[in-house]
Amino acid sequence: VQLVQSGAEVRKPGASVKVSCKASGYGFTSYHMHWVRQAPGQGLEWMGIINPSGGGPTTYAQKFQGRVTMTRDTSTSTVHMELSSLTSEDTAVYYCARSVRPHSHLGGMDVWGQGTTVTVSS
Amino acid sequence: QSVLTQPPSVSAAPGQKVTISCSGSSSNIGNNFVSWYQQLPGTAPTFLIYDNNKRPSGIPDRFSGSKSGTSATLGITGLQTGDEADYYCGTWDNSLSAVVFGGGTKLTVL
């Protein structure tokens, strides 16, 4: 079981960034996928969750609603997270993480991607 | 300010035991399972405990979890220098409809 994320990105303030997370080694559509970020020297911050099977709504943390979009491509077993209107406060490492239980958002995150560093700077 | 409250740091000597607390409310810990994560310096978090007290395969029994009411605790026995890391608790919050984390606890093995 593995989650492999796309490479580091640098963006200017006001731009958007799209981070990818490719899953392998398990049934992609059976497990929800979380997105979590970590600013430099800070703790973990949950951004939202997507059901790769397409059933049910995608849930976003209130802080990011209107600015984040999570999508999935079942043909490539990949989930994407796009964040728009970037500011310097969005500089962070972004992680995808698989939900531990099949078909559930509960219970925790058992497999994590390696992280993608997003730097927002003018 | 995190929804779940953890001590910023704890420390103990090699071979000793340490506990890390995680305090919440009825909308999160009080009515949902708690999970714990270990983050070694410069790496992604790893899954340590789920469903309050269950260990994923490969996690040694030196690590344990418990929950009582609106608080949870991570215990680590037989401390090793390799256990030096940040530890985070997390759970679902029914009021926020979101996953919430503690602010993290830095463990130092003296």
Side-chain angles (χ1 to χ4, degrees), chain A residues 36-87:
Chain A
V36 176
R37 78 175 187 180
Q38 186 172 36
Q42 303 301 307
L44 303 176
E45 182 175 33
W46 185 78
M47 299 181 69
I49 186 169
I50 182 169
N51 180 352
S53 73
T58 299
T59 302
Y60 303 130
Q62 186 172 9
K63 175 178 178 177
F64 300 102
Q65 283 184 8
R67 211 161 63 90
V68 69
T69 304
M70 296 176 187
T71 56
R72 95 284 189 214
D73 182 344
T74 54
S75 68
T76 60
S77 299
T78 302
V79 295
H80 306 274
M81 186 283 299
E82 184 169 20
L83 189 62
S84 62
S85 302
L86 293 169
T87 72

Side-chain angles (χ1 to χ4, degrees), chain B residues 53-66:
Chain B
N53 55 18
K54 296 177 183 175
R55 288 186 307 277
S57 60
I59 301 300
D61 59 7
R62 299 189 299 108
F63 295 89
S64 64
S66 64

Side-chain angles (χ1 to χ4, degrees), chain B residues 6-93:
Chain B
Q6 297 181 234
S9 63
V10 295
S11 62
Q16 297 301 302
K17 174 182 178 179
V18 71
T19 60
I20 298 173
S21 61
C22 175
S23 178
S25 69
S26 59
S27 68
N28 43 66
I29 291 178
N31 283 284
N32 288 292
F33 287 123
V34 176
S35 54
W36 289 89
Y37 306 88
Q38 178 192 60
Q39 187 175 33
L40 298 169
T43 67
T46 58
F47 199 39
L48 205 55
I49 296 286
Y50 69 104
D51 288 0
N52 305 330
N53 55 18
K54 296 177 183 175
R55 288 186 307 277
S57 60
I59 301 300
D61 59 7
R62 299 189 299 108
F63 295 89
S64 64
S66 64
K67 187 183 103 168
S68 177
T70 59
S71 292
T73 301
L74 173 70
I76 311 173
T77 60
L79 279 171
Q80 303 173 1
T81 56
D83 295 332
E84 286 202 334
D86 293 323
Y87 292 85
Y88 294 90
C89 58
T91 188
W92 183 259
D93 189 294

Side-chain angles (χ1 to χ4, degrees), chain A:
Chain A
V1 177
Q2 195 174 13
L3 301 175
V4 178
Q5 299 184 222
S6 50
E9 304 274 11
V10 179
R11 293 287 185 273
K12 294 189 182 303
S16 297
V17 69
K18 191 171 186 178
V19 179
S20 300
C21 169
K22 183 174 176 60
S24 62
Y26 71 95
F28 175 69
T29 57
S30 295
Y31 293 83
H32 293 46
M33 195 75 77
H34 300 263
W35 285 92
V36 176
R37 78 175 187 180
Q38 186 172 36
Q42 303 301 307
L44 303 176
E45 182 175 33
W46 185 78
M47 299 181 69
I49 186 169
I50 182 169
N51 180 352
S53 73
T58 299
T59 302
Y60 303 130
Q62 186 172 9
K63 175 178 178 177
F64 300 102
Q65 283 184 8
R67 211 161 63 90
V68 69
T69 304
M70 296 176 187
T71 56
R72 95 284 189 214
D73 182 344
T74 54
S75 68
T76 60
S77 299
T78 302
V79 295
H80 306 274
M81 186 283 299
E82 184 169 20
L83 189 62
S84 62
S85 302
L86 293 169
T87 72
S88 59
E89 295 189 349
D90 294 315
T91 293
V93 178
Y94 290 76
Y95 296 102
C96 58
R98 191 185 79 162
S99 199
V100 66
R101 280 191 178 79
H103 310 297
S104 174
H105 61 287
L106 300 175
M109 307 161 202
D110 65 341
V111 182
W112 292 65
Q114 83 275 20
T116 296
T117 299
V118 175
T119 303
V120 183
S121 174
S122 56

